[in-house]
Amino acid sequence: MTAPARDGVWLPDLCRLPRLLTMLGLAQLTVILVMLVPIATPPWDAAGFISASGYALWLALSVSVLLCAGRRLLSRLPMRLGAAAALGLAMFVALVASAVVHGLFASIAADPSLPEFGRFVGGSAAAVVLLTAIALRYFYVIDRWQAQVGAQARAEADALQARIRPHFLFNSMNMIATLLRRDPEVAERAVLDLSDLFRAALGAGEGTSTLADETALAEQYLSIEQLRLGDRLRVRWDKGAGLPWSMPMPRLVLQPLLENAVLHGISRLPEGGTIDVMLGEREGMLEILVANPSLPPSDAPAQGAGHAQASIAHRLGYAFGPRASMHYGWNAGRYACTIRVPVAEREAPWRERGRP
């Protein structure tokens, strides 16, 4: 164990049901391994296996509950001392429990297969300490890995839109300045859209957004670019019926794809072109497609270096797990990017609410 968590509670949380089940499974696996070891004593029968399993599961449950209850208290200690104290508590539980069990079996009937007191108690304590150390180390590594992935996802989100590029801001402000006298109402709308866009950029690494908010933000961005590019930029939206508009999404997933489509696609074509944005749901998966005309990669970098796509793919994977996917590439004069993420069942009651 090398570094504490950000909240200062470094000891793994055994209060979670999956982790408690892991501890019980580890105890049961130990019993099975011991049963399979070839030794000279008579083979195990069903009664012996059930008794050993009950004893091992009782020990695992007792240790898990005790470490769960004392997690915050142990985390106040220096890490090495706290880890030693946690293992010491596990050993204490094992010593007391094994002594009680041995005494009960010895008092009921003389069983020649029952190990002597010292071997039974010492062996139980050693096994519990070893397995507890392995489990705590494993959970600790998992916790630190998850924290690192989360921090990396937040950092990439922040870096992504420290990347609403300066040229976009300068061009937008110049465009708004020219509109102030000619069309004040349009200029005012553009200022509001620009304000919403940068407000979202400043909060890119914090919390979550929704599909509706991401779509609305993308529409605001495109409205600003259409004022700047005029007829050269055309947008065709295709929003499927019954979309889960309240579905949680990472912030700034759609807008950077459209920014790439404008910057690396439409703006490099003298005649401009049409950006197609399609949203739909199929087989429990939300699909988002952004496609635009683009120069071939041999003539110009089709969509830049791909940093935005890689960052978005990473954040989607962190938010939705391995079922999330993102594919992008150039084909037959068009650059397309497709996102697929699972739709949670809890979103079903929200699907008929209004669209953005």
Side-chain angles (χ1 to χ4, degrees):
M1 300 182 179
T2 57
R6 290 195 310 168
D7 59 4
V9 182
W10 53 264
L11 190 69
D13 184 7
L14 299 183
C15 302
R16 305 180 196 174
L17 181 59
R19 294 192 171 183
L20 178 59
L21 293 178
T22 300
M23 292 290 287
L24 296 178
L26 188 59
Q28 186 62 55
L29 178 62
T30 303
V31 173
I32 295 174
L33 291 176
V34 172
M35 181 186 68
L36 295 176
V37 172
I39 54 178
T41 56
W44 289 35
D45 55 13
F49 176 74
I50 293 174
S51 297
S53 297
Y55 173 61
L57 294 174
W58 178 44
L59 282 179
L61 182 61
S62 300
V63 170
S64 299
V65 170
L66 184 60
L67 293 181
C68 169
R71 177 175 177 246
R72 291 191 174 275
L73 184 61
L74 291 170
S75 293
R76 295 177 184 176
L77 300 174
M79 192 168 294
R80 293 182 182 276
L81 181 59
L87 297 180
L89 286 175
M91 177 182 290
F92 175 77
V93 170
L95 289 173
V96 173
S98 58
V100 171
V101 169
H102 190 279
L104 289 175
F105 274 89
S107 64
I108 292 174
D111 186 355
S113 64
L114 183 66
E116 61 180 10
F117 180 82
R119 180 184 175 190
F120 183 80
V121 173
S124 297
V128 167
V129 169
L130 178 61
L131 294 176
T132 301
I134 292 173
L136 290 179
R137 179 61 184 178
Y138 169 75
F139 291 139
Y140 178 84
V141 171
I142 292 297
D143 286 345
R144 298 287 75 77
W145 175 78
Q146 290 178 341
Q148 182 178 359
V149 170
Q152 183 178 354
R154 288 190 297 270
E156 288 189 356
D158 292 338
L160 183 64
Q161 296 292 322
R163 99 172 195 87
I164 287 189
R165 296 179 174 88
H167 84 89
F168 169 69
L169 174 62
F170 299 146
N171 289 341
S172 298
M173 296 303 294
N174 290 335
M175 177 267 299
I176 291 171
T178 61
L179 286 173
L180 284 175
R181 293 183 180 179
R182 190 180 67 201
D183 198 336
E185 292 185 2
V186 174
E188 180 182 4
R189 188 176 73 247
V191 169
L192 294 175
D193 289 343
L194 190 63
S195 174
D196 289 340
L197 186 61
F198 275 86
R199 186 180 299 111
L202 291 174
E206 302 174 1
T208 59
S209 182
T210 64
L211 178 61
D213 291 338
E214 287 298 295
T215 304
L217 188 68
E219 291 176 332
Q220 289 175 312
Y221 167 76
L222 289 173
S223 69
I224 295 174
E225 291 288 30
Q226 283 180 314
L227 289 175
R228 183 172 67 87
L229 296 175
D231 293 338
R232 292 179 59 205
L233 172 60
R234 299 173 293 280
V235 183
R236 185 162 50 219
W237 287 88
D238 182 3
K239 301 175 184 178
L243 286 172
W245 294 112
S246 296
M247 173 181 172
M249 297 282 289
R251 291 182 182 272
L252 291 171
V253 168
L254 184 54
Q255 183 274 334
L257 299 181
L258 294 170
E259 184 177 350
N260 273 355
V262 172
L263 181 64
H264 299 290
I266 304 301
S267 63
R268 292 180 175 174
L269 301 173
E271 71 281 9
T274 299
I275 298 177
D276 290 299
V277 187
M278 290 176 280
L279 297 88
E281 183 183 352
R282 183 175 61 181
E283 299 177 353
M285 301 291 288
L286 172 68
E287 295 185 357
I288 302 175
L289 169 66
V290 176
N292 59 275
S294 175
L295 295 172
S298 57
D299 294 346
Q303 295 292 106
H307 298 307
Q309 292 97 322
S311 174
I312 292 170
H314 178 78
R315 292 189 292 129
L316 289 174
Y318 176 72
F320 295 100
R323 294 184 63 195
S325 64
M326 182 174 177
H327 303 283
Y328 46 88
W330 184 89
N331 183 38
R334 292 182 70 79
Y335 190 93
C337 180
T338 303
I339 291 173
R340 299 185 79 247
V341 295
V343 178
E345 291 298 327
R346 65 178 181 272
E347 297 296 327
W350 300 334
R351 296 185 186 184
E352 297 305 321
R353 294 184 182 180
R355 301 181 184 181

